Amino acid sequence: MKLAVTLAVLLSVAGAAPALAVDEGAPDRDRHPNVGLLGFDLDGSGPIPPAILCTGSVLSDQLLLTAGHCIPAVPAGTEWVVTLAPGGPAEPVARPGLFPDDFPFPLTVPARRGGVAISHPDFDPDTRRHDVALIRFPAGTFAGVEPVELPRARQLDRLRRHGELARSRFRLVGYGTDPERGDGAPVFVLEGYRQTATAPFQALRSGRLILDGRTRITGQGGLCYGDSGSPQFIGDSSVVVSVFSEHLDECDGPLFSQRLDTRSERRFLARFVEVP
């Protein structure tokens, strides 16, 4: 009964918050080996396999960068797990299905275990301010993986002043659901492998980067359920300027991401890694 209640709570949170994949994305294959699928294990060594929840990116040999709102979606003390396996249409890393009907989606590949969450101390779950967190795994968990790069202080502001931001392409990378749109409400399909696309700039706020996720209008990609915490790379660089925070219910509108080039976010991250 306790497990059933916990899963019901997870489902309600996931439906409103943690988002799962890149809309209109292509299989990423080995293009971004430092982007992983973040999952949780409710019963440790018990019979229930870990299930997926969010996306994250490798920041050091033991740190995974993700969104702060992913953390309270599971009970305190839950073990976090991650896989960096890209998967593909013929080899998904999580069991495919429909969201929310088939949630939670179990991992189908081995996961790296022992993750402990560290949220930004000023994260506000209601406003999503400071929506950033780290998952700390045992030292050496990501040995041999090239970490993503963090942006310089106020890098996005400088790009806007120079007129470059509106022309910039942002690379999306994530795992999870694609909204299939017909005549009625969209159906959210979890394909279970890492995907990638680009999205155009829409607006910049003091703490948020907003991209245009209207895939049918832009002809580019979007983000949806389960992409929470996924990185937004600027162009084809390895610099992650933001992590995905939230979207509209039908995943067909603005994409709101937490900037990483702000003073507060840089101060938080500098406690654990070197920032430029």
Side-chain angles (χ1 to χ4, degrees), residues 162-187:
H162 296 153
E164 299 175 29
L165 195 55
R167 301 191 302 271
S168 296
R169 263 186 325 114
F170 292 87
R171 172 65 57 182
L172 314 176
V173 185
Y175 295 76
T177 63
D178 287 311
E180 301 295 337
R181 309 182 195 279
D183 296 332
V187 175

Side-chain angles (χ1 to χ4, degrees), residues 10 15 33 50 118 149 158 171 184 237 272:
L10 278 168
I118 309 166
E149 297 180 47
R158 286 198 298 273
R171 172 65 57 182
S237 74
F272 306 96

Side-chain angles (χ1 to χ4, degrees), residues 10-155:
L10 278 168
L11 181 57
S12 68
V13 174
L20 260 281
V22 175
D23 185 15
E24 299 301 325
D28 185 65
R29 305 300 184 189
D30 294 323
R31 185 171 180 177
H32 297 92
N34 47 17
V35 177
L37 181 55
L38 180 64
F40 61 94
D41 192 336
L42 289 174
D43 68 345
S45 60
I48 301 175
I52 71 174
L53 188 66
C54 291
T55 299
S57 49
V58 173
L59 202 54
S60 77
D61 76 331
Q62 66 177 136
L63 293 173
L64 192 79
L65 174 69
T66 192
H69 73 266
C70 296
I71 308 311
V74 300
T78 297
E79 181 183 28
W80 292 96
V81 305
V82 65
T83 178
L84 300 181
E91 47 184 2
V93 298
R95 184 185 299 164
L98 301 180
F99 180 85
D101 306 58
D102 300 321
F103 183 86
F105 304 102
L107 285 170
T108 58
V109 296
R112 309 179 192 208
R113 293 178 167 269
V116 177
I118 309 166
S119 298
H120 190 296
D122 296 323
F123 168 62
D124 186 329
D126 296 322
T127 65
R128 296 282 176 90
R129 291 189 65 200
H130 307 296
D131 192 8
V132 63
L134 297 172
I135 310 294
R136 181 159 52 198
F137 287 88
T141 294
F142 304 120
V145 178
E146 186 70 25
V148 299
E149 297 180 47
L150 293 172
R152 300 186 302 276
R154 294 291 175 185
Q155 183 168 338

